[in-house]
Amino acid sequence: PASRLTIVKCLTLQAFDKDRVIMLQEDKADAFYITYAGEVEVFQTTKAQQSELEVWKKGMERRVEMMHAKIESKETEERQRLLEEHLARKAAEQQAAVEAER
């Protein structure tokens, strides 16, 4: 009884949306789940299905890497554009100052 209360005090309530994957078969366990309300389905994949899943995961990882690279490229382009605008403004200001001194 007292030990159960100690465990319950340590629990964290977490809700999941319908059809949400909570974890996959080969994922490293990082939590212990207890179903308080609702339903949960558990599936065990075969080696062939697991192999397909690994191929899919690698493809998704590659797509994410490509998206990150594209975002970084766009950010670099934007930084370069802003720097060029800044330098052009500074040059125009300096030119105006020189002409004003004349």
Side-chain angles (χ1 to χ4, degrees), residues 62-87:
R62 180 67 185 128
R63 286 186 195 114
V64 168
E65 288 173 6
M66 290 171 59
M67 289 173 63
H68 281 279
K70 189 180 279 189
I71 289 168
E72 288 175 6
S73 174
K74 292 290 184 186
E75 288 174 344
T76 300
E77 288 175 12
E78 181 64 10
R79 276 192 229 106
Q80 182 65 34
R81 185 187 67 76
L82 291 172
L83 177 61
E84 289 171 1
E85 285 179 4
H86 174 74
L87 294 175

Side-chain angles (χ1 to χ4, degrees), residues 86-102:
H86 174 74
L87 294 175
R89 274 194 308 275
K90 284 291 189 186
E93 289 171 2
Q94 289 176 348
Q95 182 65 32
V98 167
E99 290 176 8
E101 290 178 2
R102 289 183 188 172

Side-chain angles (χ1 to χ4, degrees), residues 21 24 27 48-64:
V21 175
L24 298 172
D27 288 348
Q49 291 169 326
Q50 191 63 29
S51 178
E52 288 177 26
L53 181 59
E54 287 300 320
V55 168
W56 178 82
K57 282 170 95 174
K58 286 180 183 173
M60 289 304 294
E61 288 169 356
R62 180 67 185 128
R63 286 186 195 114
V64 168

Side-chain angles (χ1 to χ4, degrees), residues 32-51:
F32 179 81
Y33 297 96
I34 299 171
T35 305
Y36 177 73
E39 297 178 6
V40 176
E41 292 182 290
V42 178
F43 301 96
Q44 183 175 9
T45 58
T46 64
K47 288 193 185 266
Q49 291 169 326
Q50 191 63 29
S51 178

Side-chain angles (χ1 to χ4, degrees), residues 13-32:
L13 181 63
Q14 190 171 6
F16 295 98
D17 291 332
K18 182 179 186 207
D19 297 326
R20 162 108 164 34
V21 175
I22 296 172
M23 69 182 308
L24 298 172
Q25 184 172 322
E26 297 298 319
D27 288 348
K28 183 178 179 182
D30 63 350
F32 179 81

